[in-house]
């Protein structure tokens, strides 16, 4: 062929053939063979991590949750009775019983006397909650039967009662 004929022949672009542009399905096949991008993999790993964390938090030990709920409830009841004692000038005494607890006050029928979780029990001496503003350091230990978990409800006598973790007592062999 003459040099003029070669000049009129178009040059092939990279990736094209003499038969025209590559069909769309072959481009799709090439993309499918390349795999996932790093960004796509990171998104999938992040979604799995978030889902795992959600499941872990949702599966908390019901005994632990129940004991925490009981401790917060008793702490609020103690503070309520302490305030009532200071306002009325009549001492209020809290004590643990076989089935729950009791507040020795003038109208004991209005006070809760049982634990919400039946396997909860308290240990500690009876506590007098007033009528003086300073009552001395107090501690009540809550436990769940058959479990090593225990929580303490404490006050230094001036500040309100609050819940704190307690290390489990060593088990006797």
């Amino acid at each position: 062929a003459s040099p003029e004929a070669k000049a009129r022949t178009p040059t092939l672009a990279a990736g094209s053939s003499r038969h025209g542009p590559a069909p769309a399905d072959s481009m799709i096949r090439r993309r499918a063979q390349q795999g996932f991008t790093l960004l796509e993999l990171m998104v999938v790993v992040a979604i799995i991590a978030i889902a795992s964390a959600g499941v872990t938090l949702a599966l908390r030990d019901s005994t632990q949750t129940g004991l925490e709920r009981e401790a917060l409830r008793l702490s609020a009841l103690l503070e309520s009775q302490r305030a009532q004692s200071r306002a009325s000038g009549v001492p209020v005494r809290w004590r643990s019983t076989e089935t729950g607890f009791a507040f020795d006050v003038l109208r004991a029928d209005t006070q809760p006397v049982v634990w919400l979780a039946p396997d909860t029990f308290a240990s500690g001496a009876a506590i007098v909650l007033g009528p003086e503003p300073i009552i001395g350091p107090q501690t009540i230990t809550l436990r769940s039967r058959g479990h090593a978990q225990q929580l303490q409800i404490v006050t230094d006598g001036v500040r309100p009662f609050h819940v704190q973790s307690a290390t489990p007592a060593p088990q006797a062999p």
Side-chain angles (χ1 to χ4, degrees):
S2 69
E4 293 173 5
K6 283 185 181 178
R8 281 187 261 152
T9 306
T11 309
L12 296 176
S16 65
S17 67
R18 291 191 183 268
H19 304 294
D25 61 325
S26 69
M27 292 181 98
I28 292 171
R29 275 192 228 124
R30 266 192 248 143
R31 172 71 176 127
Q33 291 173 355
Q34 290 177 357
F36 298 105
T37 65
L38 180 60
L39 180 62
E40 291 168 334
L41 289 174
M42 289 176 60
V43 167
V44 169
V45 169
I47 290 171
I48 291 172
I50 291 170
S52 298
V55 168
T56 302
L57 292 175
L59 295 177
R60 287 188 64 190
D61 182 17
S62 61
T63 304
Q64 177 184 1
T65 304
L67 195 62
E68 288 173 4
R69 188 178 317 116
E70 291 288 5
L72 290 172
R73 177 177 171 241
L74 183 58
S75 176
L77 288 170
L78 290 169
E79 276 306 309
S80 170
Q81 290 301 312
R82 185 176 178 187
Q84 190 175 31
S85 175
R86 288 176 62 189
S88 67
V90 177
V92 175
R93 183 173 168 251
W94 177 91
R95 60 187 166 81
S96 178
T97 64
E98 288 293 319
T99 59
F101 55 91
F103 287 100
D104 297 331
V105 294
L106 296 176
R107 294 205 50 201
D109 60 330
T110 61
Q111 302 303 317
V113 294
V114 296
W115 301 111
L116 296 175
D119 60 341
T120 303
F121 68 98
S123 61
I127 295 175
V128 178
L129 298 170
E132 299 83 20
I134 300 175
I135 61 173
Q138 306 290 333
T139 301
I140 299 171
T141 304
L142 290 184
R143 291 187 179 94
S144 184
R145 296 187 204 307
H147 296 89
Q149 170 89 23
Q150 66 182 26
L151 295 173
Q152 288 183 333
I153 301 168
V154 298
T155 183
D156 62 357
V158 178
R159 290 186 281 246
F161 284 92
H162 66 279
V163 179
Q164 71 182 24
S165 292
T167 56
Q171 299 288 334

